């Protein structure tokens, strides 16, 4: 896989200055902007939607990794693609027709991602991994920033690396939740390709060279 990708999460940015947050992401040599979309149903909080993504799209050429923490993501895919998403990731736990939705994202010319919460085992992904460009391992229960990484979730990263190698697949492995200076080493050692960091990044505790 390519060099480790840092994808700072705007969920931990100052919402009153998203333009400044995007500049900070660029200045710290991150490669992707991670955008957490929350609907108040799949997760408790509400964050932002398509209008915000569209409004910040002209500010940077970096890819937008839109993480849909929403019920019925199939109703949102086309509009987020139109708003400027480059990668679109939705939760296995949020809908039924996973294969259909991954294929639709690819049809729109976007990278298709599938995410799992800490209680979901990697084994349930077996049938859909060939259709995914990205697998997002949540190392906290989604919905809030600043949580502590659940150590057992790191084992999923290594398992996904093993499966990828054994089956000759090419999906990237992303990890999100509680990533800071202390926990970064464990997820990198397990084989993560993309690291999502919110609180640690915007507090200046985690920087890229």
């Amino acid at each position: 896989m390519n060099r480790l990708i840092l994808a700072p999460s705007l969920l931990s940015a100052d919402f009153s200055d998203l333009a400044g947050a995007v500049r900070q992401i660029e200045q710290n040599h991150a490669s992707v902007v991670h955008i957490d979309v929350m609907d108040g149903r799949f997760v408790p909080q509400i964050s932002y939607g398509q209008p915000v993504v569209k409004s910040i799209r002209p500010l940077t050429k970096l890819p937008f990794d839109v993480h849909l923490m929403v019920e019925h993501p199939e109703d949102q895919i086309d509009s987020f693609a139109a708003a400027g998403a480059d990668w679109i990731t939705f939760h296995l736990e949020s809908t039924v027709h996973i294969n259909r939705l991954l294929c639709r994202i690819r049809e729109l010319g976007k990278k298709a991602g599938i995410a799992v919460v800490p209680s979901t085992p990697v084994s349930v992904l077996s049938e859909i991994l060939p259709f995914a460009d990205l697998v997002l391992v949540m190392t906290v229960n989604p919905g809030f920033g600043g949580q502590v990484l659940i150590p057992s979730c790191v084992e999923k990263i290594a398992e996904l690396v093993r499966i990828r190698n054994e089956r000759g697949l090419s999906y990237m492995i992303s990890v999100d939740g509680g990533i800071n200076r202390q926990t970064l080493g464990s997820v990198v050692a397990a084989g993560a390709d993309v690291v999502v960091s919110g609180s640690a990044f915007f507090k200046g505790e985690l920087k890229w060279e």
Side-chain angles (χ1 to χ4, degrees):
M1 303 301 292
N2 294 324
R3 180 176 178 269
L4 186 68
I5 294 170
L6 174 62
S9 171
L10 288 182
L11 186 63
S12 296
D14 179 354
F15 279 21
S16 70
D17 185 19
L18 290 180
V22 171
R23 284 195 300 272
Q24 184 178 345
I25 289 170
E26 290 187 324
Q27 291 167 358
N28 283 278
H29 310 293
S31 304
V32 173
V33 179
H34 187 86
I35 301 174
D36 288 302
V37 176
M38 305 189 298
D39 65 354
R41 297 180 64 85
F42 183 73
V43 293
Q45 296 198 97
I46 296 172
S47 56
Y48 33 58
Q50 296 90 333
V52 171
V53 174
K54 184 177 181 180
S55 70
I56 63 173
R57 180 66 277 182
L59 302 179
T60 181
K61 294 182 179 179
L62 292 178
F64 280 3
D65 174 16
V66 174
H67 175 196
L68 298 179
M69 291 182 277
V70 304
E71 291 185 354
H72 306 297
E74 60 275 10
D75 297 334
Q76 309 291 336
I77 296 300
D78 286 46
S79 56
F80 273 105
D86 299 288
W87 308 0
I88 301 177
T89 300
F90 64 96
H91 274 266
L92 177 89
E93 304 87 1
S94 68
T95 190
V96 175
H97 300 292
I98 309 296
N99 176 286
R100 179 188 299 167
L101 195 47
L102 289 170
C103 291
R104 176 57 184 163
I105 294 170
R106 284 180 165 183
E107 286 173 2
L108 292 167
K110 313 299 181 179
K111 289 188 181 298
I114 187 71
V116 290
V117 301
S119 59
T120 299
V122 168
S123 58
V124 300
L125 294 167
S126 178
E127 297 300 319
I128 58 170
L129 287 176
F131 305 95
D133 299 303
L134 176 78
V135 180
L136 174 57
V137 176
M138 294 298 301
T139 46
V140 299
N141 289 294
F144 300 94
Q147 297 187 67
V148 177
L149 178 143
I150 301 171
S152 60
C153 293
V154 177
E155 299 171 10
K156 295 182 183 181
I157 301 169
E159 186 176 355
L160 284 163
V161 170
R162 178 184 59 78
I163 294 170
R164 183 173 63 191
N165 292 338
E166 289 178 352
R167 296 176 61 179
L169 300 174
S170 59
Y171 53 79
M172 295 184 292
I173 302 167
S174 181
V175 58
D176 182 2
I179 306 299
N180 53 40
R181 203 177 294 171
Q182 289 70 43
T183 58
L184 178 63
S186 64
V187 301
V188 171
D193 306 300
V194 182
V195 173
V196 178
S197 177
S199 300
F201 176 84
F202 284 105
K203 289 178 181 177
E205 298 171 3
L206 189 64
K207 294 184 179 181
W208 240 230
E209 299 298 332

